Amino acid sequence: MLDLLRRGTRLVWGALSRFFSSRAVRKFFLTPTSATGFFLVLAFAVVAFLAPVLAPPRPGRNPYMIPRDSYLNEPQPPSKEHILGTTSGQYDIWYGMVWGTRTAFRIGIVVTFASALIGIVIGTLAAFYSRVFGEISMRIVDIFMTMPFLIAAMVMTTILGTGIDNVMVALIAFGWMTYARLARGDVMTVKDLDYVQAARAVGASDWRIITRHLLPNAIFPLFVMATMDIGSMVLAAAALSFLGLGAELGYADWGQMISFARNWMSGTVGSPLIFWYTIIFPGLTILLFGLGWNLMGDGVRDIFDPRMRGSK
Amino acid sequence: MLAYIVRRLLLLPVVLFGVTLIIFAMVQMVGPYKRLSLYVNDATLAHVRSSEELVRLVHKYGLDRPIYEQYAGWLNGVFHGQLGYSPTAHLMVQDALVKYLPTTAELALFSLIPLVFFAIRLGVFSAVRQNTIGDHLTRILAITGWSLPTFVAGLLLLLFFYKWFPAGRLSVWTIPIVNSPDWHTFTRMYTIDAVLNGNWRVFLDALRHMVLPIVTLSYISWALILRITRSSMLETLRQDYVTTARAKGLPERVVINRHARRNALIPVATVAGWTIAGLMGGVVITETIFNYPGLGRFAASAALQLDIAAVLGFALFNGLLLVTANLVVDVMYAFIDPRVRLE
């Protein structure tokens, strides 16, 4: 077990150090778009880390529940006390944005890693073992893909009930298929290459072939690429929250902050833009987060996926 | 060619059967009393007053029998177009779907127009003018469009344009016109009915309400279509036959429109299936934002009230639609691209 752990660490460490000294990574940071993306995501990570400093929670309360001054319905404009104003129901927008960053990272990381892991395991096994198992699992993938992602997740949250955890389960349940397909394709390509055949010829076990040959050459790059989907997973969760199927009421979550704004977009007679702050601040936050991941993802794809090269 | 189409057609029921299995498996997570709404074939559930009556209904519809019998019973209902009772709509689910479908179909049809006319054109433009300012602007537009979620974009549109393009489906003064006995209903799509009735005021009013939803709904897919058109066009422009066409001395416009663009659109057809899936998810969000009374808003409000029968009916309907759409795309693809036929 310890040996396995040490070997795993060395494997990851070797890949990482090769990764950071390579020409591709230098290119990543010298390209303005991908560098911008990286620093946007980094900025959000810092905000998430410093959340208790940037928006101190009231003592003794669950910090993820946004504090509210009163139960007044009408949003209040930015003031000294609430620097970005309050949204419908007097939830502080700044507080919701800052702690919502933590929620976003938690959803994004958990959902992406879990679905990538499930997908990669199924895809690898489908490629590696018998044709029958491979065919069956790919047909199951086809069937799961028949339902539009958002609608499938909607069905799932209707059945499970709302709440962040259920949203994550729903997104994982209908998010693993793409990874399974990619993993199967990548492993199929690699497993017929000479060095894998050679390993098999000298009598290496399946486990050894998977961990020593397929993992670093087919699966690790796919995993790195999967992390780039964190942005889109967060947007999907936000969409569910916007529909009222996501976070519980008052939970620090970007999608919910935007759903609060929904009823105020027509403004009042004579001043249609009066409640602009309820949508502009949360909207800008989500846009920058999504943009950061997408810009970074484009750069990473250029490095890792030769199929995408030249199609910029 | 024929074998290809037949194989695709044979796969259709298998996939749909799989979809019903997944949905049925998901539904097993709730208790038999909540599942009851899936089985009833009339509005009896709305009049249940006592728990004894519920127990009796559970027994009547076989929800206390083994799971495969329950599945068979449910599948039989689905096969006969009976999807259960929706308390949100006070209707049977299949009737509710039929009721809301024209409204959504109208929206979806109109939102294809900007996709075909702008997204593809912009993609071609961007590729032809590669690395010019116009190209860079288009690409920045595309990646921003890719990152800004629909619900934010829709609300922003509503914030700035509500005065001219209100939410809802018709204005207060139009509703009496379409409900009056002089009004002939043909399709229940108000723009088309208005044209057939020769009433331009209703037509303009219906259109006015649809402008923002159309923009929002098409926006979901246009970033994708733009990117794919651009990269496919770039590749096509490098092909030998394009060089040949240029060498013959054909004007650049002819080279691009006749020789390059037609071939570049083949890969765009492959994403048509995704576009349809995106549209269907987008309908739920768009209709919720603009309070547009179609299938999507019905499904979203049903989900909020835990109206399982309605949400499942909507999901099944979407599955059927998507499978059929993908089949059509595959078959069309074989017609467009001879390379597929040979496989």
Side-chain angles (χ1 to χ4, degrees), chain B residues 98-166:
Chain B
V98 170
K99 179 183 164 195
Y100 291 113
L101 180 63
T103 317
T104 299
E106 189 177 20
L107 187 60
L109 283 178
F110 273 98
S111 69
L112 287 176
I113 298 173
L115 275 185
V116 174
F117 283 94
F118 295 119
I120 291 181
R121 257 153 223 254
L122 265 179
V124 171
F125 164 86
S126 190
V128 174
R129 306 271 171 86
Q130 196 191 1
N131 293 331
T132 62
I133 292 186
D135 177 36
H136 289 309
L137 281 181
T138 311
R139 286 174 64 196
I140 290 173
L141 211 67
I143 198 154
T144 314
W146 193 245
S147 311
L148 186 66
T150 343
F151 48 95
V152 178
L155 285 181
L156 285 174
L157 286 173
L158 201 56
L159 177 69
F160 289 112
F161 300 107
Y162 181 80
K163 212 172 147 189
W164 300 280
F165 304 113

Side-chain angles (χ1 to χ4, degrees), chain A residues 7-21 220:
Chain A
R7 210 196 296 159
T9 321
R10 204 187 316 137
L11 198 82
V12 172
W13 182 249
L16 281 180
S17 61
R18 245 181 296 132
F19 177 70
F20 278 106
S21 58
F220 183 68

Side-chain angles (χ1 to χ4, degrees), chain A residues 139-140 142-152 154-162 174 235-236 238-240 242-245 254-255 258-259 261-267 272-276 279-280 282-284 286-287 289-292 294-295 298 301 308 310-312, chain B residues 11 14-19 22-23 26-27 29-30 34 139 143-144 146-149 151-152 155-156 158-160 162-163 227 230-231 234-235 238 276-278 280-282 284-285 288-289 291 296 299-300 302-304 306-308 311-312 314-316 318-320 322-323 326:
Chain A
R139 290 294 83 75
I140 293 176
D142 282 349
I143 290 166
F144 266 85
M145 283 188 137
T146 307
M147 274 195 282
F149 184 57
L150 189 75
I151 291 168
M154 216 171 105
V155 175
M156 198 81 172
T157 47
T158 309
I159 290 168
L160 293 175
T162 51
F174 288 95
L235 296 192
L240 284 175
F242 171 76
L243 292 173
L245 301 170
W254 295 340
I258 286 168
S259 84
R262 207 179 99 208
N263 293 328
W264 302 95
M265 287 300 101
S266 47
L273 301 182
I274 187 168
F275 300 118
W276 60 275
I279 176 68
I280 296 289
L284 203 63
I286 288 199
L287 170 65
F289 189 80
L291 198 62
N294 281 342
L295 290 175
D298 268 10
R301 256 169 215 125
M308 296 289 282
S311 68
K312 278 186 264 192
Chain B
L11 212 61
V14 178
V15 171
L16 282 177
F17 180 72
V19 172
I22 293 179
I23 287 186
M26 283 203 288
V27 150
M29 283 185 272
V30 299
K34 283 192 174 172
R139 286 174 64 196
I143 198 154
T144 314
W146 193 245
S147 311
L148 186 66
F151 48 95
V152 178
L155 285 181
L156 285 174
L158 201 56
L159 177 69
F160 289 112
Y162 181 80
K163 212 172 147 189
R227 275 164 71 127
R230 180 178 180 275
S231 62
L234 278 179
E235 216 174 295
R238 283 192 218 114
I276 291 162
M280 287 180 324
V284 179
I285 289 174
T288 307
I289 297 173
N291 226 356
L304 274 180
L306 304 182
D307 179 352
I308 293 177
V311 177
L312 287 195
F314 178 67
L316 274 175
N318 275 303
L320 180 68
L322 192 59
V323 171
N326 276 331

Side-chain angles (χ1 to χ4, degrees), chain A residues 39-243:
Chain A
F39 286 110
L40 272 175
V41 171
L42 192 68
F44 274 103
V46 170
V47 170
F49 186 70
L50 294 179
V53 182
L54 293 171
R58 291 182 187 168
R61 291 277 200 85
N62 177 359
Y64 285 98
M65 300 306 284
I66 312 172
R68 53 204 297 204
D69 282 353
S70 67
Y71 291 87
L72 187 71
N73 213 3
E74 194 173 301
Q76 300 295 316
S79 62
K80 225 172 159 189
E81 237 170 290
H82 304 286
I83 52 170
L84 300 184
T86 58
T87 189
S88 183
Q90 302 314 306
Y91 293 103
D92 185 79
I93 295 178
W94 166 253
Y95 191 96
M97 291 300 99
V98 170
W99 285 87
T101 312
R102 280 198 174 190
T103 311
F105 272 106
R106 195 173 83 222
I107 294 176
I109 291 171
V110 170
V111 171
T112 312
F113 272 67
S115 37
L117 203 67
I118 296 173
I120 287 173
V121 168
I122 292 181
T124 308
L125 293 179
F128 203 72
Y129 290 111
S130 74
R131 282 195 57 165
V132 179
F133 177 76
E135 276 302 307
I136 291 175
S137 48
M138 285 305 114
R139 290 294 83 75
I140 293 176
V141 164
D142 282 349
I143 290 166
F144 266 85
M145 283 188 137
T146 307
M147 274 195 282
F149 184 57
L150 189 75
I151 291 168
M154 216 171 105
V155 175
M156 198 81 172
T157 47
T158 309
I159 290 168
L160 293 175
T162 51
I164 290 289
D165 294 337
N166 289 340
V167 168
M168 292 198 275
V169 171
L171 292 181
I172 294 166
F174 288 95
W176 56 273
M177 298 89 70
T178 330
Y179 305 119
R181 261 195 194 162
L182 287 175
R184 179 167 175 262
D186 286 358
V187 171
M188 292 264 256
T189 323
V190 174
K191 86 170 181 167
D192 289 331
L193 293 182
D194 287 344
Y195 64 87
V196 179
Q197 299 289 350
R200 186 163 294 152
V202 295
S205 67
D206 285 357
W207 175 248
R208 191 181 159 84
I209 290 175
I210 289 179
T211 53
R212 297 301 296 264
H213 300 285
L214 301 185
L215 208 60
N217 292 304
I219 300 171
F220 183 68
L222 184 62
F223 214 85
V224 174
M225 265 163 60
T227 55
M228 294 302 120
D229 290 342
I230 288 179
S232 55
M233 290 298 179
V234 170
L235 296 192
L240 284 175
S241 275
F242 171 76
L243 292 173

